PDB file of all heavy atoms in Angstrom:
ATOM      1  N   PHE A  19      41.196   8.356  14.396  1.00 41.00           N
ATOM      2  CA  PHE A  19      40.597   7.763  15.576  1.00 41.00           C
ATOM      3  C   PHE A  19      41.563   6.865  16.340  1.00 41.00           C
ATOM      4  O   PHE A  19      41.340   6.550  17.486  1.00 41.00           O
ATOM      5  CB  PHE A  19      39.352   6.942  15.179  1.00 41.00           C
ATOM      6  CG  PHE A  19      38.161   7.794  14.886  1.00 41.00           C
ATOM      7  CD1 PHE A  19      37.758   8.009  13.579  1.00 41.00           C
ATOM      8  CD2 PHE A  19      37.446   8.408  15.905  1.00 41.00           C
ATOM      9  CE1 PHE A  19      36.675   8.804  13.296  1.00 41.00           C
ATOM     10  CE2 PHE A  19      36.351   9.192  15.626  1.00 41.00           C
ATOM     11  CZ  PHE A  19      35.966   9.394  14.324  1.00 41.00           C
ATOM     12  N   THR A  20      42.643   6.430  15.660  1.00 42.00           N
ATOM     13  CA  THR A  20      43.557   5.492  16.309  1.00 42.00           C
ATOM     14  C   THR A  20      44.264   6.134  17.488  1.00 42.00           C
ATOM     15  O   THR A  20      44.342   5.569  18.582  1.00 42.00           O
ATOM     16  CB  THR A  20      44.596   4.986  15.294  1.00 42.00           C
ATOM     17  OG1 THR A  20      43.914   4.316  14.253  1.00 42.00           O
ATOM     18  CG2 THR A  20      45.578   4.038  15.972  1.00 42.00           C
ATOM     19  N   GLU A  21      44.793   7.346  17.323  1.00 48.00           N
ATOM     20  CA  GLU A  21      45.575   7.989  18.375  1.00 48.00           C
ATOM     21  C   GLU A  21      44.748   8.265  19.632  1.00 48.00           C
ATOM     22  O   GLU A  21      45.157   7.919  20.740  1.00 48.00           O
ATOM     23  CB  GLU A  21      46.180   9.291  17.828  1.00 48.00           C
ATOM     24  CG  GLU A  21      47.127   9.965  18.824  1.00 48.00           C
ATOM     25  CD  GLU A  21      47.813  11.154  18.190  1.00 48.00           C
ATOM     26  OE1 GLU A  21      47.691  11.313  16.957  1.00 48.00           O
ATOM     27  OE2 GLU A  21      48.474  11.909  18.913  1.00 48.00           O
ATOM     28  N   PRO A  22      43.540   8.844  19.532  1.00 45.00           N
ATOM     29  CA  PRO A  22      42.739   9.033  20.745  1.00 45.00           C
ATOM     30  C   PRO A  22      42.377   7.727  21.432  1.00 45.00           C
ATOM     31  O   PRO A  22      42.339   7.649  22.658  1.00 45.00           O
ATOM     32  CB  PRO A  22      41.490   9.743  20.217  1.00 45.00           C
ATOM     33  CG  PRO A  22      41.919  10.395  18.962  1.00 45.00           C
ATOM     34  CD  PRO A  22      42.938   9.481  18.363  1.00 45.00           C
ATOM     35  N   GLN A  23      42.107   6.668  20.625  1.00 46.00           N
ATOM     36  CA  GLN A  23      41.749   5.389  21.222  1.00 46.00           C
ATOM     37  C   GLN A  23      42.923   4.813  22.000  1.00 46.00           C
ATOM     38  O   GLN A  23      42.763   4.282  23.103  1.00 46.00           O
ATOM     39  CB  GLN A  23      41.298   4.411  20.124  1.00 46.00           C
ATOM     40  CG  GLN A  23      39.932   4.766  19.536  1.00 46.00           C
ATOM     41  CD  GLN A  23      39.573   3.872  18.391  1.00 46.00           C
ATOM     42  OE1 GLN A  23      40.408   3.071  17.933  1.00 46.00           O
ATOM     43  NE2 GLN A  23      38.349   3.990  17.905  1.00 46.00           N
ATOM     44  N   GLN A  24      44.124   4.911  21.414  1.00 51.00           N
ATOM     45  CA  GLN A  24      45.308   4.405  22.118  1.00 51.00           C
ATOM     46  C   GLN A  24      45.539   5.196  23.398  1.00 51.00           C
ATOM     47  O   GLN A  24      45.863   4.626  24.453  1.00 51.00           O
ATOM     48  CB  GLN A  24      46.529   4.502  21.204  1.00 51.00           C
ATOM     49  CG  GLN A  24      46.485   3.534  20.023  1.00 51.00           C
ATOM     50  CD  GLN A  24      47.674   3.714  19.107  1.00 51.00           C
ATOM     51  OE1 GLN A  24      48.413   4.705  19.222  1.00 51.00           O
ATOM     52  NE2 GLN A  24      47.865   2.778  18.189  1.00 51.00           N
ATOM     53  N   GLN A  25      45.368   6.512  23.323  1.00 49.00           N
ATOM     54  CA  GLN A  25      45.565   7.341  24.499  1.00 49.00           C
ATOM     55  C   GLN A  25      44.560   6.980  25.590  1.00 49.00           C
ATOM     56  O   GLN A  25      44.895   6.894  26.765  1.00 49.00           O
ATOM     57  CB  GLN A  25      45.413   8.814  24.116  1.00 49.00           C
ATOM     58  CG  GLN A  25      45.659   9.787  25.294  1.00 49.00           C
ATOM     59  CD  GLN A  25      45.571  11.228  24.852  1.00 49.00           C
ATOM     60  OE1 GLN A  25      45.393  11.491  23.677  1.00 49.00           O
ATOM     61  NE2 GLN A  25      45.710  12.129  25.811  1.00 49.00           N
ATOM     62  N   GLN A  26      43.291   6.717  25.162  1.00 49.00           N
ATOM     63  CA  GLN A  26      42.263   6.357  26.131  1.00 49.00           C
ATOM     64  C   GLN A  26      42.584   5.023  26.801  1.00 49.00           C
ATOM     65  O   GLN A  26      42.414   4.854  28.008  1.00 49.00           O
ATOM     66  CB  GLN A  26      40.903   6.292  25.436  1.00 49.00           C
ATOM     67  CG  GLN A  26      39.749   6.004  26.387  1.00 49.00           C
ATOM     68  CD  GLN A  26      38.429   5.986  25.656  1.00 49.00           C
ATOM     69  OE1 GLN A  26      38.393   6.086  24.452  1.00 49.00           O
ATOM     70  NE2 GLN A  26      37.356   5.830  26.405  1.00 49.00           N
ATOM     71  N   GLN A  27      43.061   4.040  25.993  1.00 49.00           N
ATOM     72  CA  GLN A  27      43.426   2.743  26.568  1.00 49.00           C
ATOM     73  C   GLN A  27      44.571   2.888  27.567  1.00 49.00           C
ATOM     74  O   GLN A  27      44.587   2.239  28.612  1.00 49.00           O
ATOM     75  CB  GLN A  27      43.809   1.771  25.441  1.00 49.00           C
ATOM     76  CG  GLN A  27      42.618   1.373  24.561  1.00 49.00           C
ATOM     77  CD  GLN A  27      43.052   0.520  23.390  1.00 49.00           C
ATOM     78  OE1 GLN A  27      44.255   0.291  23.188  1.00 49.00           O
ATOM     79  NE2 GLN A  27      42.086   0.056  22.611  1.00 49.00           N
ATOM     80  N   GLN A  28      45.536   3.744  27.216  1.00 50.00           N
ATOM     81  CA  GLN A  28      46.650   3.959  28.138  1.00 50.00           C
ATOM     82  C   GLN A  28      46.163   4.581  29.447  1.00 50.00           C
ATOM     83  O   GLN A  28      46.573   4.183  30.534  1.00 50.00           O
ATOM     84  CB  GLN A  28      47.697   4.855  27.481  1.00 50.00           C
ATOM     85  CG  GLN A  28      48.434   4.193  26.301  1.00 50.00           C
ATOM     86  CD  GLN A  28      49.358   5.152  25.585  1.00 50.00           C
ATOM     87  OE1 GLN A  28      49.446   6.328  25.951  1.00 50.00           O
ATOM     88  NE2 GLN A  28      50.056   4.654  24.557  1.00 50.00           N
ATOM     89  N   GLU A  29      45.267   5.566  29.327  1.00 48.00           N
ATOM     90  CA  GLU A  29      44.741   6.205  30.524  1.00 48.00           C
ATOM     91  C   GLU A  29      43.978   5.201  31.385  1.00 48.00           C
ATOM     92  O   GLU A  29      44.089   5.195  32.610  1.00 48.00           O
ATOM     93  CB  GLU A  29      43.831   7.363  30.128  1.00 48.00           C
ATOM     94  CG  GLU A  29      44.584   8.528  29.493  1.00 48.00           C
ATOM     95  CD  GLU A  29      43.634   9.609  29.024  1.00 48.00           C
ATOM     96  OE1 GLU A  29      42.414   9.360  29.083  1.00 48.00           O
ATOM     97  OE2 GLU A  29      44.102  10.675  28.601  1.00 48.00           O
TER      98      GLU A  29
END
Side-chain angles (χ1 to χ4, degrees):
F19 283 104
T20 299
E21 185 174 350
Q23 288 175 352
Q24 291 177 348
Q25 182 177 357
Q26 184 179 6
Q27 292 175 356
Q28 292 174 359
E29 291 176 353

